[in-house]
Amino acid sequence: MDIKVSHCFIIVDDHDKALGFYRDVLGFEVRTDVSYEGMRWVTVVPPSQPDLEITIETPESHPGASAEDKQKQYDLLAKGLLRGLIFTTDDVDAAFEHIRASGAEMLQEPTDQAYGVRDCAFRDPAGNMIRLNQPRKGQG
């Protein structure tokens, strides 16, 4: 049996701001951007992982969620309490400088971690924490 991840989801407060970041700063390809019945389905793809679509959605994307539940998601997003994403790269220091130059909120400069990676952290425009890591030589 061969099972793979095809989609993962990240909640944002504004599709267009998120697209500007994931497409223009991180270099991801927009695979899907479709509006349907008041909702918008947007996916981006890392160039090195064309089979993995990251779905960028707002709390409004859940038609069955109550207004109260949607507001709770917005509140958690504003506090930076929703889970983000972790990406790998072959040059975390260069990626850090590129992302910092974009004006993104940087949370952690590149640091060698005890668990075998050099990583950094930043926030996307919605406040999600994103980590970039690079396996250290002999670690991966």
mmCIF file of all heavy atoms in Angstrom, residues 11-57:
data_model
loop_
_atom_site.group_PDB
_atom_site.id
_atom_site.type_symbol
_atom_site.label_atom_id
_atom_site.label_comp_id
_atom_site.label_asym_id
_atom_site.label_seq_id
_atom_site.Cartn_x
_atom_site.Cartn_y
_atom_site.Cartn_z
ATOM 1 N N ILE A 11 -4.555 28.070 7.629
ATOM 2 C CA ILE A 11 -5.599 29.087 7.727
ATOM 3 C C ILE A 11 -4.955 30.464 7.711
ATOM 4 O O ILE A 11 -3.969 30.712 8.416
ATOM 5 C CB ILE A 11 -6.436 28.895 9.003
ATOM 6 C CG1 ILE A 11 -7.179 27.566 8.924
ATOM 7 C CG2 ILE A 11 -7.416 30.055 9.198
ATOM 8 C CD1 ILE A 11 -7.981 27.234 10.162
ATOM 9 N N VAL A 12 -5.522 31.339 6.902
ATOM 10 C CA VAL A 12 -5.057 32.717 6.787
ATOM 11 C C VAL A 12 -6.261 33.649 6.913
ATOM 12 O O VAL A 12 -7.399 33.202 6.849
ATOM 13 C CB VAL A 12 -4.316 32.952 5.449
ATOM 14 C CG1 VAL A 12 -3.109 32.033 5.324
ATOM 15 C CG2 VAL A 12 -5.247 32.795 4.266
ATOM 16 N N ASP A 13 -5.993 34.929 7.070
ATOM 17 C CA ASP A 13 -7.093 35.884 7.144
ATOM 18 C C ASP A 13 -7.365 36.577 5.817
ATOM 19 O O ASP A 13 -8.398 37.218 5.647
ATOM 20 C CB ASP A 13 -6.848 36.912 8.247
ATOM 21 C CG ASP A 13 -5.537 37.665 8.077
ATOM 22 O OD1 ASP A 13 -4.727 37.317 7.183
ATOM 23 O OD2 ASP A 13 -5.297 38.611 8.855
ATOM 24 N N ASP A 14 -6.447 36.433 4.854
ATOM 25 C CA ASP A 14 -6.608 37.107 3.565
ATOM 26 C C ASP A 14 -5.877 36.297 2.492
ATOM 27 O O ASP A 14 -4.649 36.169 2.541
ATOM 28 C CB ASP A 14 -6.027 38.526 3.674
ATOM 29 C CG ASP A 14 -6.179 39.337 2.419
ATOM 30 O OD1 ASP A 14 -5.562 38.971 1.386
ATOM 31 O OD2 ASP A 14 -6.891 40.356 2.453
ATOM 32 N N HIS A 15 -6.639 35.760 1.556
ATOM 33 C CA HIS A 15 -6.030 34.944 0.490
ATOM 34 C C HIS A 15 -4.963 35.711 -0.289
ATOM 35 O O HIS A 15 -3.895 35.172 -0.583
ATOM 36 C CB HIS A 15 -7.107 34.478 -0.507
ATOM 37 C CG HIS A 15 -7.942 33.352 -0.033
ATOM 38 N ND1 HIS A 15 -9.244 33.524 0.364
ATOM 39 C CD2 HIS A 15 -7.669 32.037 0.117
ATOM 40 C CE1 HIS A 15 -9.743 32.356 0.722
ATOM 41 N NE2 HIS A 15 -8.812 31.434 0.591
ATOM 42 N N ASP A 16 -5.250 36.950 -0.648
ATOM 43 C CA ASP A 16 -4.336 37.690 -1.513
ATOM 44 C C ASP A 16 -3.019 38.015 -0.818
ATOM 45 O O ASP A 16 -1.949 37.909 -1.423
ATOM 46 C CB ASP A 16 -5.003 38.948 -2.051
ATOM 47 C CG ASP A 16 -6.139 38.614 -3.009
ATOM 48 O OD1 ASP A 16 -5.992 37.661 -3.805
ATOM 49 O OD2 ASP A 16 -7.195 39.277 -2.942
ATOM 50 N N LYS A 17 -3.071 38.408 0.458
ATOM 51 C CA LYS A 17 -1.827 38.643 1.198
ATOM 52 C C LYS A 17 -1.031 37.346 1.312
ATOM 53 O O LYS A 17 0.190 37.338 1.140
ATOM 54 C CB LYS A 17 -2.114 39.185 2.605
ATOM 55 C CG LYS A 17 -2.523 40.627 2.649
ATOM 56 C CD LYS A 17 -2.532 41.219 4.051
ATOM 57 C CE LYS A 17 -3.114 40.331 5.116
ATOM 58 N NZ LYS A 17 -3.302 40.990 6.409
ATOM 59 N N ALA A 18 -1.715 36.248 1.582
ATOM 60 C CA ALA A 18 -1.038 34.951 1.699
ATOM 61 C C ALA A 18 -0.415 34.548 0.369
ATOM 62 O O ALA A 18 0.728 34.077 0.330
ATOM 63 C CB ALA A 18 -2.017 33.889 2.181
ATOM 64 N N LEU A 19 -1.151 34.734 -0.726
ATOM 65 C CA LEU A 19 -0.596 34.407 -2.039
ATOM 66 C C LEU A 19 0.654 35.228 -2.334
ATOM 67 O O LEU A 19 1.641 34.695 -2.850
ATOM 68 C CB LEU A 19 -1.628 34.649 -3.140
ATOM 69 C CG LEU A 19 -2.574 33.512 -3.433
ATOM 70 C CD1 LEU A 19 -3.623 33.934 -4.455
ATOM 71 C CD2 LEU A 19 -1.826 32.293 -3.918
ATOM 72 N N GLY A 20 0.612 36.504 -1.992
ATOM 73 C CA GLY A 20 1.779 37.357 -2.199
ATOM 74 C C GLY A 20 3.009 36.822 -1.481
ATOM 75 O O GLY A 20 4.129 36.924 -1.977
ATOM 76 N N PHE A 21 2.792 36.235 -0.335
ATOM 77 C CA PHE A 21 3.908 35.694 0.433
ATOM 78 C C PHE A 21 4.349 34.331 -0.095
ATOM 79 O O PHE A 21 5.508 34.132 -0.433
ATOM 80 C CB PHE A 21 3.524 35.589 1.906
ATOM 81 C CG PHE A 21 4.637 35.087 2.771
ATOM 82 C CD1 PHE A 21 5.689 35.911 3.114
ATOM 83 C CD2 PHE A 21 4.638 33.790 3.220
ATOM 84 C CE1 PHE A 21 6.730 35.445 3.894
ATOM 85 C CE2 PHE A 21 5.673 33.313 4.010
ATOM 86 C CZ PHE A 21 6.720 34.141 4.347
ATOM 87 N N TYR A 22 3.433 33.387 -0.162
ATOM 88 C CA TYR A 22 3.803 32.026 -0.555
ATOM 89 C C TYR A 22 4.277 31.953 -2.009
ATOM 90 O O TYR A 22 5.205 31.212 -2.332
ATOM 91 C CB TYR A 22 2.655 31.053 -0.295
ATOM 92 C CG TYR A 22 2.471 30.802 1.178
ATOM 93 C CD1 TYR A 22 1.567 31.529 1.925
ATOM 94 C CD2 TYR A 22 3.239 29.850 1.841
ATOM 95 C CE1 TYR A 22 1.422 31.320 3.288
ATOM 96 C CE2 TYR A 22 3.102 29.625 3.201
ATOM 97 C CZ TYR A 22 2.187 30.375 3.927
ATOM 98 O OH TYR A 22 2.058 30.172 5.277
ATOM 99 N N ARG A 23 3.687 32.753 -2.877
ATOM 100 C CA ARG A 23 4.078 32.757 -4.291
ATOM 101 C C ARG A 23 5.315 33.635 -4.503
ATOM 102 O O ARG A 23 6.318 33.175 -5.049
ATOM 103 C CB ARG A 23 2.914 33.266 -5.144
ATOM 104 C CG ARG A 23 3.206 33.347 -6.632
ATOM 105 C CD ARG A 23 2.139 34.139 -7.371
ATOM 106 N NE ARG A 23 2.064 35.486 -6.819
ATOM 107 C CZ ARG A 23 0.912 36.138 -6.588
ATOM 108 N NH1 ARG A 23 -0.258 35.591 -6.879
ATOM 109 N NH2 ARG A 23 0.921 37.344 -6.072
ATOM 110 N N ASP A 24 5.247 34.893 -4.078
ATOM 111 C CA ASP A 24 6.278 35.866 -4.432
ATOM 112 C C ASP A 24 7.518 35.800 -3.552
ATOM 113 O O ASP A 24 8.617 36.087 -4.021
ATOM 114 C CB ASP A 24 5.697 37.278 -4.409
ATOM 115 C CG ASP A 24 4.517 37.434 -5.359
ATOM 116 O OD1 ASP A 24 4.414 36.651 -6.323
ATOM 117 O OD2 ASP A 24 3.686 38.332 -5.124
ATOM 118 N N VAL A 25 7.370 35.445 -2.287
ATOM 119 C CA VAL A 25 8.531 35.383 -1.395
ATOM 120 C C VAL A 25 9.110 33.972 -1.348
ATOM 121 O O VAL A 25 10.306 33.775 -1.530
ATOM 122 C CB VAL A 25 8.168 35.879 0.030
ATOM 123 C CG1 VAL A 25 9.340 35.709 0.978
ATOM 124 C CG2 VAL A 25 7.703 37.331 -0.010
ATOM 125 N N LEU A 26 8.249 32.964 -1.118
ATOM 126 C CA LEU A 26 8.749 31.590 -1.015
ATOM 127 C C LEU A 26 8.906 30.913 -2.373
ATOM 128 O O LEU A 26 9.535 29.868 -2.476
ATOM 129 C CB LEU A 26 7.834 30.756 -0.117
ATOM 130 C CG LEU A 26 7.745 31.209 1.338
ATOM 131 C CD1 LEU A 26 6.926 30.218 2.155
ATOM 132 C CD2 LEU A 26 9.113 31.428 1.962
ATOM 133 N N GLY A 27 8.320 31.489 -3.425
ATOM 134 C CA GLY A 27 8.513 30.948 -4.771
ATOM 135 C C GLY A 27 7.626 29.771 -5.123
ATOM 136 O O GLY A 27 7.929 29.017 -6.044
ATOM 137 N N PHE A 28 6.499 29.613 -4.420
ATOM 138 C CA PHE A 28 5.601 28.498 -4.708
ATOM 139 C C PHE A 28 4.743 28.822 -5.919
ATOM 140 O O PHE A 28 4.440 29.974 -6.211
ATOM 141 C CB PHE A 28 4.702 28.213 -3.509
ATOM 142 C CG PHE A 28 5.434 27.656 -2.305
ATOM 143 C CD1 PHE A 28 6.799 27.436 -2.312
ATOM 144 C CD2 PHE A 28 4.747 27.363 -1.161
ATOM 145 C CE1 PHE A 28 7.458 26.925 -1.212
ATOM 146 C CE2 PHE A 28 5.395 26.852 -0.044
ATOM 147 C CZ PHE A 28 6.751 26.634 -0.068
ATOM 148 N N GLU A 29 4.346 27.784 -6.620
ATOM 149 C CA GLU A 29 3.482 27.903 -7.796
ATOM 150 C C GLU A 29 2.019 27.874 -7.344
ATOM 151 O O GLU A 29 1.638 27.056 -6.510
ATOM 152 C CB GLU A 29 3.747 26.723 -8.719
ATOM 153 C CG GLU A 29 2.764 26.564 -9.851
ATOM 154 C CD GLU A 29 2.891 25.198 -10.508
ATOM 155 O OE1 GLU A 29 3.994 24.654 -10.578
ATOM 156 O OE2 GLU A 29 1.840 24.679 -10.949
ATOM 157 N N VAL A 30 1.198 28.742 -7.907
ATOM 158 C CA VAL A 30 -0.239 28.692 -7.640
ATOM 159 C C VAL A 30 -0.819 27.590 -8.523
ATOM 160 O O VAL A 30 -0.734 27.647 -9.740
ATOM 161 C CB VAL A 30 -0.936 30.036 -7.931
ATOM 162 C CG1 VAL A 30 -2.438 29.925 -7.717
ATOM 163 C CG2 VAL A 30 -0.332 31.140 -7.079
ATOM 164 N N ARG A 31 -1.355 26.575 -7.909
ATOM 165 C CA ARG A 31 -1.914 25.449 -8.655
ATOM 166 C C ARG A 31 -3.396 25.681 -8.914
ATOM 167 O O ARG A 31 -3.903 25.407 -9.984
ATOM 168 C CB ARG A 31 -1.705 24.169 -7.847
ATOM 169 C CG ARG A 31 -2.318 22.903 -8.401
ATOM 170 C CD ARG A 31 -1.625 22.317 -9.614
ATOM 171 N NE ARG A 31 -0.194 22.122 -9.530
ATOM 172 C CZ ARG A 31 0.428 21.070 -9.048
ATOM 173 N NH1 ARG A 31 -0.257 20.062 -8.565
ATOM 174 N NH2 ARG A 31 1.743 21.012 -9.050
ATOM 175 N N THR A 32 -4.111 26.168 -7.899
ATOM 176 C CA THR A 32 -5.560 26.357 -8.023
ATOM 177 C C THR A 32 -5.944 27.673 -7.372
ATOM 178 O O THR A 32 -5.460 28.003 -6.293
ATOM 179 C CB THR A 32 -6.319 25.224 -7.291
ATOM 180 O OG1 THR A 32 -5.813 23.968 -7.710
ATOM 181 C CG2 THR A 32 -7.804 25.306 -7.561
ATOM 182 N N ASP A 33 -6.821 28.417 -8.017
ATOM 183 C CA ASP A 33 -7.405 29.627 -7.422
ATOM 184 C C ASP A 33 -8.801 29.760 -8.025
ATOM 185 O O ASP A 33 -8.974 30.319 -9.102
ATOM 186 C CB ASP A 33 -6.557 30.851 -7.717
ATOM 187 C CG ASP A 33 -7.002 32.085 -6.934
ATOM 188 O OD1 ASP A 33 -8.113 32.067 -6.351
ATOM 189 O OD2 ASP A 33 -6.244 33.069 -6.915
ATOM 190 N N VAL A 34 -9.779 29.183 -7.339
ATOM 191 C CA VAL A 34 -11.139 29.086 -7.861
ATOM 192 C C VAL A 34 -12.128 29.608 -6.825
ATOM 193 O O VAL A 34 -12.043 29.263 -5.645
ATOM 194 C CB VAL A 34 -11.493 27.610 -8.189
ATOM 195 C CG1 VAL A 34 -12.914 27.483 -8.659
ATOM 196 C CG2 VAL A 34 -10.533 27.046 -9.212
ATOM 197 N N SER A 35 -13.050 30.427 -7.271
ATOM 198 C CA SER A 35 -14.145 30.873 -6.409
ATOM 199 C C SER A 35 -15.381 30.060 -6.732
ATOM 200 O O SER A 35 -15.651 29.753 -7.899
ATOM 201 C CB SER A 35 -14.438 32.351 -6.632
ATOM 202 O OG SER A 35 -13.329 33.123 -6.229
ATOM 203 N N TYR A 36 -16.125 29.710 -5.680
ATOM 204 C CA TYR A 36 -17.333 28.906 -5.870
ATOM 205 C C TYR A 36 -18.289 29.166 -4.726
ATOM 206 O O TYR A 36 -17.927 28.984 -3.556
ATOM 207 C CB TYR A 36 -16.973 27.414 -5.934
ATOM 208 C CG TYR A 36 -18.163 26.496 -6.078
ATOM 209 C CD1 TYR A 36 -18.849 26.409 -7.288
ATOM 210 C CD2 TYR A 36 -18.605 25.740 -5.007
ATOM 211 C CE1 TYR A 36 -19.940 25.575 -7.426
ATOM 212 C CE2 TYR A 36 -19.701 24.898 -5.138
ATOM 213 C CZ TYR A 36 -20.373 24.817 -6.349
ATOM 214 O OH TYR A 36 -21.455 23.993 -6.478
ATOM 215 N N GLU A 37 -19.468 29.639 -5.040
ATOM 216 C CA GLU A 37 -20.526 29.879 -4.062
ATOM 217 C C GLU A 37 -20.031 30.666 -2.848
ATOM 218 O O GLU A 37 -20.263 30.296 -1.702
ATOM 219 C CB GLU A 37 -21.169 28.563 -3.628
ATOM 220 C CG GLU A 37 -21.916 27.874 -4.756
ATOM 221 C CD GLU A 37 -22.669 26.626 -4.315
ATOM 222 O OE1 GLU A 37 -22.679 26.300 -3.112
ATOM 223 O OE2 GLU A 37 -23.261 25.984 -5.200
ATOM 224 N N GLY A 38 -19.315 31.755 -3.116
ATOM 225 C CA GLY A 38 -18.861 32.626 -2.046
ATOM 226 C C GLY A 38 -17.603 32.163 -1.332
ATOM 227 O O GLY A 38 -17.140 32.815 -0.403
ATOM 228 N N MET A 39 -17.060 31.035 -1.737
ATOM 229 C CA MET A 39 -15.823 30.538 -1.132
ATOM 230 C C MET A 39 -14.712 30.595 -2.172
ATOM 231 O O MET A 39 -14.957 30.752 -3.360
ATOM 232 C CB MET A 39 -16.009 29.103 -0.629
ATOM 233 C CG MET A 39 -16.974 28.998 0.527
ATOM 234 S SD MET A 39 -17.191 27.315 1.083
ATOM 235 C CE MET A 39 -18.126 26.606 -0.264
ATOM 236 N N ARG A 40 -13.495 30.440 -1.701
ATOM 237 C CA ARG A 40 -12.341 30.469 -2.599
ATOM 238 C C ARG A 40 -11.429 29.295 -2.244
ATOM 239 O O ARG A 40 -11.088 29.099 -1.079
ATOM 240 C CB ARG A 40 -11.604 31.787 -2.426
ATOM 241 C CG ARG A 40 -10.508 32.030 -3.422
ATOM 242 C CD ARG A 40 -9.991 33.460 -3.293
ATOM 243 N NE ARG A 40 -8.846 33.694 -4.163
ATOM 244 C CZ ARG A 40 -8.099 34.772 -4.096
ATOM 245 N NH1 ARG A 40 -8.376 35.723 -3.211
ATOM 246 N NH2 ARG A 40 -7.068 34.914 -4.907
ATOM 247 N N TRP A 41 -11.052 28.522 -3.228
ATOM 248 C CA TRP A 41 -10.161 27.372 -3.064
ATOM 249 C C TRP A 41 -8.832 27.746 -3.707
ATOM 250 O O TRP A 41 -8.735 27.924 -4.924
ATOM 251 C CB TRP A 41 -10.765 26.148 -3.735
ATOM 252 C CG TRP A 41 -9.942 24.916 -3.620
ATOM 253 C CD1 TRP A 41 -9.097 24.410 -4.581
ATOM 254 C CD2 TRP A 41 -9.858 24.023 -2.516
ATOM 255 N NE1 TRP A 41 -8.511 23.252 -4.129
ATOM 256 C CE2 TRP A 41 -8.963 22.990 -2.856
ATOM 257 C CE3 TRP A 41 -10.461 23.982 -1.259
ATOM 258 C CZ2 TRP A 41 -8.658 21.946 -1.997
ATOM 259 C CZ3 TRP A 41 -10.163 22.942 -0.407
ATOM 260 C CH2 TRP A 41 -9.262 21.936 -0.779
ATOM 261 N N VAL A 42 -7.791 27.893 -2.882
ATOM 262 C CA VAL A 42 -6.480 28.311 -3.355
ATOM 263 C C VAL A 42 -5.454 27.285 -2.885
ATOM 264 O O VAL A 42 -5.414 26.945 -1.696
ATOM 265 C CB VAL A 42 -6.100 29.703 -2.801
ATOM 266 C CG1 VAL A 42 -4.712 30.111 -3.265
ATOM 267 C CG2 VAL A 42 -7.132 30.747 -3.205
ATOM 268 N N THR A 43 -4.647 26.788 -3.813
ATOM 269 C CA THR A 43 -3.551 25.910 -3.430
ATOM 270 C C THR A 43 -2.260 26.399 -4.061
ATOM 271 O O THR A 43 -2.260 26.958 -5.160
ATOM 272 C CB THR A 43 -3.787 24.433 -3.834
ATOM 273 O OG1 THR A 43 -3.812 24.320 -5.251
ATOM 274 C CG2 THR A 43 -5.072 23.887 -3.236
ATOM 275 N N VAL A 44 -1.171 26.197 -3.326
ATOM 276 C CA VAL A 44 0.169 26.501 -3.823
ATOM 277 C C VAL A 44 1.011 25.245 -3.700
ATOM 278 O O VAL A 44 0.720 24.361 -2.885
ATOM 279 C CB VAL A 44 0.819 27.681 -3.064
ATOM 280 C CG1 VAL A 44 0.061 28.977 -3.330
ATOM 281 C CG2 VAL A 44 0.913 27.402 -1.568
ATOM 282 N N VAL A 45 2.054 25.180 -4.523
ATOM 283 C CA VAL A 45 2.882 23.980 -4.600
ATOM 284 C C VAL A 45 4.355 24.381 -4.522
ATOM 285 O O VAL A 45 4.806 25.221 -5.307
ATOM 286 C CB VAL A 45 2.623 23.237 -5.932
ATOM 287 C CG1 VAL A 45 3.496 22.020 -6.070
ATOM 288 C CG2 VAL A 45 1.162 22.878 -6.071
ATOM 289 N N PRO A 46 5.099 23.779 -3.609
ATOM 290 C CA PRO A 46 6.550 24.006 -3.627
ATOM 291 C C PRO A 46 7.127 23.410 -4.915
ATOM 292 O O PRO A 46 6.778 22.280 -5.278
ATOM 293 C CB PRO A 46 7.061 23.241 -2.403
ATOM 294 C CG PRO A 46 5.854 22.970 -1.551
ATOM 295 C CD PRO A 46 4.692 22.914 -2.494
ATOM 296 N N PRO A 47 7.981 24.135 -5.627
ATOM 297 C CA PRO A 47 8.502 23.623 -6.891
ATOM 298 C C PRO A 47 9.161 22.249 -6.773
ATOM 299 O O PRO A 47 9.081 21.445 -7.693
ATOM 300 C CB PRO A 47 9.528 24.673 -7.322
ATOM 301 C CG PRO A 47 9.114 25.913 -6.621
ATOM 302 C CD PRO A 47 8.483 25.483 -5.337
ATOM 303 N N SER A 48 9.783 21.967 -5.637
ATOM 304 C CA SER A 48 10.472 20.682 -5.483
ATOM 305 C C SER A 48 9.547 19.563 -5.011
ATOM 306 O O SER A 48 9.977 18.415 -4.905
ATOM 307 C CB SER A 48 11.645 20.825 -4.508
ATOM 308 O OG SER A 48 11.157 21.203 -3.239
ATOM 309 N N GLN A 49 8.277 19.881 -4.757
ATOM 310 C CA GLN A 49 7.291 18.877 -4.341
ATOM 311 C C GLN A 49 5.987 19.085 -5.112
ATOM 312 O O GLN A 49 4.963 19.446 -4.540
ATOM 313 C CB GLN A 49 7.011 18.974 -2.849
ATOM 314 C CG GLN A 49 8.143 18.491 -1.983
ATOM 315 C CD GLN A 49 7.772 18.580 -0.521
ATOM 316 O OE1 GLN A 49 7.678 19.661 0.029
ATOM 317 N NE2 GLN A 49 7.558 17.436 0.090
ATOM 318 N N PRO A 50 5.985 18.815 -6.408
ATOM 319 C CA PRO A 50 4.806 19.116 -7.221
ATOM 320 C C PRO A 50 3.567 18.295 -6.864
ATOM 321 O O PRO A 50 2.470 18.661 -7.262
ATOM 322 C CB PRO A 50 5.277 18.821 -8.644
ATOM 323 C CG PRO A 50 6.435 17.905 -8.491
ATOM 324 C CD PRO A 50 7.080 18.259 -7.189
ATOM 325 N N ASP A 51 3.727 17.228 -6.106
ATOM 326 C CA ASP A 51 2.565 16.423 -5.708
ATOM 327 C C ASP A 51 1.936 16.889 -4.400
ATOM 328 O O ASP A 51 0.915 16.345 -3.992
ATOM 329 C CB ASP A 51 2.966 14.952 -5.552
ATOM 330 C CG ASP A 51 3.337 14.320 -6.884
ATOM 331 O OD1 ASP A 51 2.936 14.861 -7.927
ATOM 332 O OD2 ASP A 51 4.033 13.292 -6.866
ATOM 333 N N LEU A 52 2.528 17.866 -3.729
ATOM 334 C CA LEU A 52 1.996 18.359 -2.450
ATOM 335 C C LEU A 52 1.370 19.727 -2.643
ATOM 336 O O LEU A 52 2.053 20.689 -2.979
ATOM 337 C CB LEU A 52 3.103 18.446 -1.399
ATOM 338 C CG LEU A 52 2.677 19.061 -0.067
ATOM 339 C CD1 LEU A 52 1.606 18.207 0.615
ATOM 340 C CD2 LEU A 52 3.876 19.259 0.833
ATOM 341 N N GLU A 53 0.064 19.808 -2.447
ATOM 342 C CA GLU A 53 -0.635 21.083 -2.548
ATOM 343 C C GLU A 53 -0.924 21.604 -1.144
ATOM 344 O O GLU A 53 -1.489 20.894 -0.311
ATOM 345 C CB GLU A 53 -1.937 20.936 -3.331
ATOM 346 C CG GLU A 53 -1.697 20.586 -4.785
ATOM 347 C CD GLU A 53 -2.963 20.604 -5.620
ATOM 348 O OE1 GLU A 53 -3.652 21.644 -5.632
ATOM 349 O OE2 GLU A 53 -3.260 19.572 -6.242
ATOM 350 N N ILE A 54 -0.531 22.845 -0.911
ATOM 351 C CA ILE A 54 -0.827 23.509 0.352
ATOM 352 C C ILE A 54 -2.057 24.366 0.104
ATOM 353 O O ILE A 54 -2.033 25.287 -0.712
ATOM 354 C CB ILE A 54 0.356 24.363 0.827
ATOM 355 C CG1 ILE A 54 1.583 23.472 1.024
ATOM 356 C CG2 ILE A 54 -0.006 25.118 2.103
ATOM 357 C CD1 ILE A 54 2.877 24.234 1.221
ATOM 358 N N THR A 55 -3.132 24.027 0.786
ATOM 359 C CA THR A 55 -4.386 24.758 0.624
ATOM 360 C C THR A 55 -4.389 25.944 1.574
ATOM 361 O O THR A 55 -4.210 25.797 2.778
ATOM 362 C CB THR A 55 -5.585 23.841 0.918
ATOM 363 O OG1 THR A 55 -5.513 22.702 0.052
ATOM 364 C CG2 THR A 55 -6.899 24.567 0.684
ATOM 365 N N ILE A 56 -4.558 27.118 1.000
ATOM 366 C CA ILE A 56 -4.625 28.360 1.770
ATOM 367 C C ILE A 56 -6.101 28.691 1.917
ATOM 368 O O ILE A 56 -6.786 28.934 0.917
ATOM 369 C CB ILE A 56 -3.896 29.490 1.029
ATOM 370 C CG1 ILE A 56 -2.414 29.146 0.867
ATOM 371 C CG2 ILE A 56 -4.081 30.806 1.749
ATOM 372 C CD1 ILE A 56 -1.665 30.100 -0.035
ATOM 373 N N GLU A 57 -6.585 28.670 3.147
ATOM 374 C CA GLU A 57 -8.006 28.908 3.346
ATOM 375 C C GLU A 57 -8.247 29.865 4.502
ATOM 376 O O GLU A 57 -7.416 29.997 5.392
ATOM 377 C CB GLU A 57 -8.749 27.603 3.588
ATOM 378 C CG GLU A 57 -8.344 26.877 4.847
ATOM 379 C CD GLU A 57 -9.129 25.596 5.062
ATOM 380 O OE1 GLU A 57 -9.999 25.256 4.239
ATOM 381 O OE2 GLU A 57 -8.871 24.937 6.065
#
